[in-house]
Amino acid sequence: MRTSPSLRRKLISAAAVSAALLSVGTASVAVAQDAPAEAAAVPAALTEAAPGVQAERLIVGYKSGAAEATSNKAAEADAAAKDADFQRRLGTGAALVDLGANPSTAEVADAVAEFKADPQVAYVVPDRLNKPQADPNDTEYAKQWDLFETTAGMNVPGAWTTSTGTGVTVAVIDTGYVTHSDLAANIVAGYDFISDTAVSVDGNGRDSNPADPGDYYAANECGAGIPASTSSWHGTHVAGTIAAVTNNSKGVAGIAYGAKISPLRVLGKCGGYDSDIIDAITWASGGSVSGVPANTNVAKVINMSLGGDGACTSATQTAINNAVSRGTTVVVAAGNDNENVSGHSPGNCNNIISVAATNRSGAKASYSNYGSLVDISAPGGQTSTGTANGILSTLNSGASTPASESYAYYQGTSMATPHIAGLVALVKSANPALTPAQIETAIKNNARPLPGACSGGCGAGLADAAKTVAAVSGGGTTTGTTFSSSTAVAIPDNGSAIESPITVSGRSGNAPSTLQVGIDITHTYRGDLVIGLVAPDGTVYSLKAASSSDSADDVRTTYTVNASSETANGTWKLRVQDTAAQDTGTLNSWKLTF
């Protein structure tokens, strides 16, 4: 007999969930040990579906046509039949279910396996905990090297004569907003999406007040061995980089200071859950979320400076895809683990702009994630070489609860991401007709090579605000010549590589150092795929390696290749191979943009 959820729930191990998801057809499901009885109500469980990562609750997506996909009553009945509790409908239509208080490992395994075996279920993923991607570390424009310095700045002042972001709302999905006079004039209504009071620490669940009460915690409160932390005021720092009030004779300048910020609170004590983030993405972009009033400040840009370990789940990817289809550009931190972003969500999701961080010399910051899924780099700072080498923005001096407003230097891909979100706002304001895909292409095509070193892949280079805004405003080129193939090619399961050719002609000289390779592949487990670009002379450029931790569907992204040593004209090929059994897919189309 299952009891109602309590504040001291045992946690579902995401290792168990992953095993159930990946062991189709097996009779047994591996499960991890129960969490110790003294586990915190909301542990600092990192975030993603990877071995050893914990999560509580499940997000269940039903296939279209299933009664459970639209009827809460049907979803509730289905959850009850599987010994689970239906909690609510997410903005994407998925159902959030709870396994109750103190579930045994057998109950966890049975519930996951039962949902997975249901033919009406499209996916079942853990409701994971996400955390800010920043290392906290102090006021004036002259200290904002990241905006204007020649070596590693983003050349922002040159864009301001054309665009300041007027008419664009940026949703900052983060810890909320603490009042700051250098931001207040650019803040519009947002929402508090934290449904669990143990996370929200503001005394209630969801409401229209996104004020940040502080996310401090005591030693071991967020997990055994995790030291105490003061409040980060993370969302306010991010918001200041994007749209701090400018030309007001105080504080710092915002990149898109003519834009507005809608603060959406999803991160609280010890982090925040996927389910709340999914609803925030949906609502920010104009979608409907049950129990939440319609959004009157629909955002054309979403900033997510958050994330953790694991694959991009179908639940999160669906929310992102829906947001992009509504015309909203989603900008996400690549992560701060000095690892390939392919293992870190949501920076490894499709249909986003994934951002790596650079230091004051223009090299990849030591902590920044990297890889072929990174789209662009931006200043994130490196305080280990000096506090002033971090990113200065708006903050609060309170160690726990709000005190006086302040400014501080932080570092992280959390700080790099709002640089790109601010640039997207500048671009969208300069040319409102541009789609998210066109905006991403413009930013990539007008980036400049990293001034410093990057091993592993830092996207198209260091973003250049002035050059990008000039391009979309008619003062430059947003895209080069594109050659494409729309001939669909089946990808055999665990078979030989397939190749799709594109013949390039009419070009002179060599290919560019920022050759854009756009790919559209549907596949039921993209971690199986190895993808390479074959130049006319036979040279192979690796775009994607196989990854056992990348369990999401499909590959819809753009890779940047330094093909400057290759003659442009000739037959280029995209080579794709499925290297493991049980999943299939199709190369739908691909393109080369010179």
Side-chain angles (χ1 to χ4, degrees):
M1 187 73 177
R2 194 169 296 282
T3 60
S4 60
S6 70
L7 286 179
R8 298 188 64 81
R9 287 173 285 206
K10 291 279 185 82
L11 298 180
I12 303 167
S13 166
V17 177
S18 296
L21 289 172
L22 303 179
S23 302
V24 180
T26 59
S28 61
V29 178
V31 293
Q33 297 296 315
D34 283 342
E38 63 273 18
V42 186
L46 301 180
T47 54
E48 307 300 332
V53 178
Q54 294 177 309
E56 58 179 306
R57 305 177 298 200
L58 301 174
I59 299 172
V60 182
Y62 291 95
K63 296 178 180 178
S64 60
E68 295 88 345
T70 55
S71 167
N72 287 353
K73 184 176 181 180
E76 183 176 6
D78 184 54
K82 295 177 172 65
D83 203 18
D85 299 310
F86 172 79
Q87 297 295 299
R88 69 174 188 273
R89 179 82 57 185
L90 304 189
T92 55
L96 178 65
V97 302
D98 196 297
L99 299 190
N102 304 319
S104 69
T105 53
E107 288 175 319
V108 172
D110 288 345
V112 172
E114 195 168 1
F115 275 112
K116 183 62 181 175
D118 189 335
Q120 300 302 318
V121 172
Y123 59 81
V124 54
V125 297
D127 185 17
R128 305 169 302 185
L129 194 67
N130 293 258
K131 303 173 75 175
Q133 291 285 347
D135 287 336
N137 267 339
D138 207 43
T139 191
E140 298 92 16
Y141 174 66
K143 299 176 182 178
Q144 292 182 273
W145 61 267
D146 47 304
L147 303 191
F148 61 79
E149 280 192 354
T150 302
T151 299
M154 215 173 75
N155 199 10
V156 174
W160 286 337
T161 56
T162 302
S163 176
T164 62
T166 302
V168 178
T169 296
V170 182
V172 175
I173 298 179
D174 213 291
T175 65
Y177 164 67
V178 61
T179 302
H180 200 293
S181 64
D182 207 11
L183 259 175
N186 283 339
I187 299 293
V188 297
Y191 207 81
D192 180 356
F193 278 94
I194 302 179
S195 53
D196 191 326
T197 55
V199 178
S200 69
V201 299
D202 60 0
N204 54 45
R206 292 183 170 183
D207 57 41
S208 60
N209 182 8
D212 186 350
D215 56 359
Y216 67 98
Y217 49 85
N220 302 313
E221 189 174 6
C222 294
I226 296 179
S229 175
T230 58
S231 290
S232 69
W233 316 113
H234 187 269
T236 300
H237 196 282
V238 168
T241 297
I242 298 170
V245 178
T246 304
N247 296 321
N248 61 342
S249 299
K250 68 175 295 183
V252 295
I255 291 171
Y257 60 83
K260 300 299 182 184
I261 297 290
S262 175
L264 305 186
R265 188 167 180 252
V266 299
L267 302 177
K269 179 171 286 190
C270 304
Y273 287 105
D274 279 2
S275 53
D276 292 336
I277 294 169
I278 286 166
D279 279 353
I281 295 169
T282 301
W283 189 81
S285 58
S288 176
V289 176
S290 177
V292 181
N295 186 3
T296 58
N297 296 294
V298 174
K300 289 303 178 185
V301 191
I302 288 175
N303 186 103
M304 290 201 293
S305 292
L306 50 81
D309 300 335
C312 178
T313 69
S314 299
T316 298
Q317 188 65 66
T318 297
I320 291 170
N321 290 346
N322 291 346
V324 172
S325 71
R326 297 183 191 106
T328 299
T329 301
V330 181
V331 187
V332 183
N336 299 337
D337 305 281
N338 190 28
E339 295 176 352
N340 196 302
V341 69
S342 63
H344 300 271
S345 173
N348 57 5
C349 293
N350 290 322
N351 244 356
I352 64 166
I353 300 178
S354 185
V355 187
T358 53
N359 59 28
R360 198 166 182 173
S361 66
K364 184 186 84 70
S366 62
Y367 54 79
S368 178
N369 286 349
Y370 51 83
S372 61
L373 295 181
V374 169
D375 294 299
I376 196 72
S377 293
Q382 182 110 29
T383 57
S384 62
T385 60
T387 300
N389 292 333
I391 305 300
L392 185 66
S393 189
T394 47
L395 211 70
N396 191 277
S397 64
S400 54
T401 57
S404 59
E405 65 179 43
S406 65
Y407 300 83
Y409 291 97
Y410 275 13
Q411 68 172 22
T413 54
S414 273
M415 285 55 259
T417 304
H419 283 76
I420 300 302
L423 175 53
V424 173
L426 295 179
V427 170
K428 188 68 176 177
S429 179
N431 191 339
L434 292 178
T435 66
Q438 290 171 328
I439 291 172
E440 178 179 346
T441 297
I443 291 173
K444 289 179 175 180
N445 284 357
N446 291 285
R448 67 183 194 270
L450 249 58
C454 172
S455 177
C458 286
L462 181 62
D464 188 309
K467 185 178 177 183
T468 304
V469 170
V472 302
S473 304
T477 303
T478 59
T479 60
T481 303
T482 297
F483 300 83
S484 61
S485 172
S486 58
T487 302
V489 183
I491 303 170
D493 183 31
N494 196 22
S496 302
I498 59 98
E499 290 185 345
S500 174
I502 288 177
T503 299
V504 174
S505 61
R507 306 292 299 175
S508 59
N510 287 359
S513 60
T514 56
L515 179 64
Q516 304 295 297
V517 187
I519 297 174
D520 182 349
I521 294 174
T522 52
H523 195 274
T524 49
Y525 190 93
R526 71 185 186 199
D528 291 353
L529 298 179
V530 174
I531 305 174
L533 176 69
V534 184
D537 67 356
T539 301
V540 179
Y541 295 84
S542 177
L543 304 180
K544 180 188 177 301
S547 172
S548 61
S549 65
D550 190 4
S551 61
D553 297 340
D554 309 333
V555 180
R556 294 189 176 95
T557 192
T558 299
Y559 297 96
T560 301
V561 174
N562 182 355
S564 57
S565 63
E566 304 292 340
T567 301
N569 290 334
T571 299
W572 297 73
K573 299 175 183 177
L574 189 71
R575 179 180 294 168
V576 184
Q577 183 175 14
D578 184 323
T579 61
Q582 298 185 342
D583 292 276
T584 59
T586 302
L587 170 60
N588 301 306
S589 63
W590 71 289
K591 61 184 178 181
L592 292 171
T593 300
F594 290 79

